[in-house]
Amino acid sequence: DAKTTQPPSMDCAEGRAANLPCNHSTISGNEYVYWYRQIHSQGPQYIIHGLKNNETNEMASLIITEDRKSSTLILPHATLRDTAVYYCIVRVRYGNKLVFGAGTILRVKS
Amino acid sequence: GAVVSQHPSWVICKSGTSVKIECRSLDFQATTMFWYRQFPKQSLMLMATSNEGSKATYEQGVEKDKFLINHASLTLSTLTVTSAHPEDSSFYICSALAGGVGTQYFGPGTRLLVL
């Protein structure tokens, strides 16, 4: 599975949009981009995934560049409860493993 | 979304004893479940992949005789830490693969402290 690169940390003001970038320049054509987050002392929570089209659900939006070498997770109106470690993972859709990198620590501040 | 539970949520045991952790998919069937371990301030590390009705596949460096995994049904996988030692103290997290959409859903984790 392709490797991803994320900034180690980011800050965001409460109520503003949080834009979390992820680079995955070696992504293969059949690999999806998955985003999970982990709030302190909890199991990871699935957020969203996509292949090449932009995706949106009740939690977030996922913007994937046309060349698929990078993506951005957007939390449209961040709240204090969105403070967590966000993981960007690329994986073949029905592949077994999720390989977690260091992720991005997002701190939402009031 | 799909719900995965773990039991117990935390456990304290004496060195040398064995501890069993259960992972259940509550509203879907999971032919494949996964076990992860997370040490403080570190990311999740995959320990093993558990397939219903067959032997688990362990990641390199994970002792299969120490971490026994049983996946007896489509909704239950268990991890038994045998002869636990203080260095086994960690946060153990399971996940279940929702086959229809290929997404893994995670349990809330089990915190193990070995004294």
Side-chain angles (χ1 to χ4, degrees), chain A residues 83-100:
Chain A
T83 293
V85 180
Y86 287 77
Y87 297 99
C88 168
I89 303 168
V90 293
R91 194 201 71 173
V92 175
R93 184 166 189 178
Y94 294 100
N96 278 336
K97 299 182 182 182
L98 281 177
V99 179
F100 285 81

Side-chain angles (χ1 to χ4, degrees), chain A residues 16-56:
Chain A
R16 304 298 294 269
N19 297 281
L20 293 94
C22 179
N23 285 319
H24 32 79
S25 58
T26 60
I27 192 169
S28 300
N30 63 344
E31 287 182 316
Y32 286 70
V33 180
Y34 285 82
W35 282 85
Y36 285 80
R37 73 179 182 183
Q38 186 178 25
I39 296 170
H40 184 63
S41 294
Q42 297 182 23
Q45 178 187 22
Y46 166 77
I47 301 173
I48 200 168
H49 75 279
L51 182 62
K52 54 184 178 181
N53 296 323
N54 297 337
E55 302 288 345
T56 296

Side-chain angles (χ1 to χ4, degrees), chain B residues 72-93:
Chain B
S73 77
L74 290 173
T75 59
L76 173 65
S77 177
T78 60
L79 168 68
T80 301
V81 183
T82 62
S83 187
H85 290 99
E87 57 265 31
D88 298 323
S89 298
S90 188
F91 191 45
Y92 291 87
I93 309 168

Side-chain angles (χ1 to χ4, degrees), chain B residues 2 21 29 34 57 65 86 89 94 98 115:
Chain B
I21 302 170
Q29 293 184 331
F34 306 86
T57 302
D65 294 329
S89 298
C94 73
L115 302 177

Side-chain angles (χ1 to χ4, degrees), chain A residues 57-69:
Chain A
N57 62 21
E58 65 277 7
M59 289 184 67
S61 294
L62 174 61
I63 309 298
I64 303 174
T65 58
E66 193 169 343
D67 63 8
R68 302 208 325 121
K69 293 184 177 182

Side-chain angles (χ1 to χ4, degrees), chain B residues 46-60:
Chain B
L46 179 65
M47 298 176 66
T49 302
S50 166
N51 290 297
E52 187 265 339
S54 63
K55 291 184 178 180
T57 302
Y58 291 82
E59 294 298 301
Q60 191 172 14

